[in-house]
Amino acid sequence: MTEHPDWLTRYVAGQEDRVWHEIRQLGARVREPAFAPEAQAVCDEMARRARSNIETLVARLREQGYRFHQNDDRQTPTEPYTPPGPKADEILHWLEKRLSPLPMTLSSWIRIVGDVWLVGTHPQWATSAAADPLVLEVAGSRYPNSDILEYYAEEIEEWEDDQDEPFLLPVAPDHYHKDNVSGGGPYGIVLPDASADAHFVGEAGMPLVDYLNWIFQHGGFPRPTGDEAQWDVIHQLRGGLHRL
């Protein structure tokens, strides 16, 4: 591995998969001075692309008459996307103090992307909420009147009482709860983690960037629902989205 990998230039040139392979192979060594700035730059570019994809999906869904709502009986209307708020840096520093090191992609997401919640109902696809729509809430920006750090503190304290497994930072309901059905535990990110890319745990464990690429390849709705309308909707949504 060269000490001057030029990852960002190659990433922007379309070598995303190769760049992520090299970065992940380093594991915790990615924190070394020879690698860290370039790796963080790639993670930040990934986050900018993810934010662009989210904004595109939200705009397309609105044009199609999609109703964004909470996963409750009343289907309470909600905003699907909020960029990082004024407390983003505070949240990041707090997490770094309590659960350091944080994977670089998580840091980039908190600083650049914010919170996304694509749960809702499509006028042509009544079961869209059952398709495991993209939700990733880690920055607290969708809930300005709530203290996400208080929530995280409670989760960490509960974990500290029984540390048989790594801490899982909750970032989304599982696919059942998104559809307002009783299910399992939340999706999350394993912490602490010195790697560049976070380890996302959902239906299965995988790198966060792989999970996001899978989501965007399916227009934000990756789980089959058995509704033929799903594929028409996804085809309209996914065109031209960035690869991360």
Side-chain angles (χ1 to χ4, degrees):
M1 175 70 70
T2 174
E3 293 189 358
H4 302 283
D6 201 20
W7 284 325
L8 182 60
T9 299
R10 293 165 54 208
Y11 183 81
V12 171
Q15 298 182 34
E16 296 93 345
D17 291 346
R18 183 62 190 171
V19 167
W20 282 118
H21 174 72
E22 293 177 10
I23 289 175
R24 289 169 183 152
Q25 278 198 316
L26 284 171
R29 284 193 61 211
V30 77
R31 303 279 173 167
E32 295 176 7
F35 305 117
E38 193 78 10
Q40 189 65 70
V42 170
C43 294
D44 284 358
E45 175 62 18
M46 176 281 300
R48 285 188 285 269
R49 293 183 183 191
R51 176 169 175 163
S52 175
N53 285 353
I54 291 166
E55 292 171 341
T56 297
L57 286 174
V58 169
R60 289 174 178 174
L61 286 165
R62 290 194 192 280
E63 289 173 0
Q64 295 171 12
Y66 190 82
R67 292 188 298 110
F68 296 99
H69 57 69
Q70 296 287 9
N71 54 336
D72 56 18
D73 292 339
R74 299 179 63 184
Q75 296 189 346
T76 306
T78 190
E79 283 297 314
Y81 171 64
T82 50
K87 292 186 177 181
D89 286 339
E90 176 188 348
I91 291 168
L92 180 58
H93 293 153
W94 187 93
L95 286 171
E96 288 174 337
K97 184 177 180 179
R98 295 294 299 269
L99 296 163
S100 183
L102 301 184
M104 293 178 178
T105 51
L106 179 61
S107 168
S108 298
W109 192 276
I110 293 173
R111 291 182 290 104
I112 296 171
V113 183
D115 287 345
V116 56
W117 175 279
L118 297 189
V119 174
T121 303
H122 196 283
Q124 297 173 333
W125 176 23
T127 58
S128 51
D132 203 5
L134 173 60
V135 172
L136 195 58
E137 298 184 308
V138 67
S141 56
R142 280 206 336 115
Y143 307 99
N145 297 322
S146 299
D147 187 354
I148 195 170
L149 295 184
E150 182 177 335
Y151 169 63
Y152 286 158
E154 292 174 355
E155 293 290 316
I156 292 171
E157 288 172 7
E158 183 176 339
W159 168 73
E160 287 174 338
D161 291 337
D162 183 12
Q163 295 188 28
D164 290 341
E165 297 181 359
F167 178 69
L168 196 67
L169 183 75
V171 299
D174 73 349
H175 76 271
Y176 290 109
H177 283 97
K178 290 176 185 178
D179 195 27
N180 194 27
V181 177
S182 180
Y187 297 164
I189 290 173
V190 176
L191 298 177
D193 184 355
S195 305
D197 195 5
H199 183 68
F200 178 86
V201 178
E203 297 298 297
M206 67 183 76
L208 176 62
V209 172
D210 284 356
Y211 172 72
L212 292 169
N213 275 323
W214 176 62
I215 287 278
F216 291 134
Q217 286 166 8
H218 293 82
F221 300 84
R223 190 177 184 85
T225 64
D227 189 328
E228 293 183 2
Q230 177 172 359
W231 311 115
D232 291 334
V233 172
I234 286 175
H235 180 73
Q236 296 173 47
L237 291 172
R238 68 184 180 185
L241 297 181
H242 299 289
R243 181 160 183 82
L244 309 187

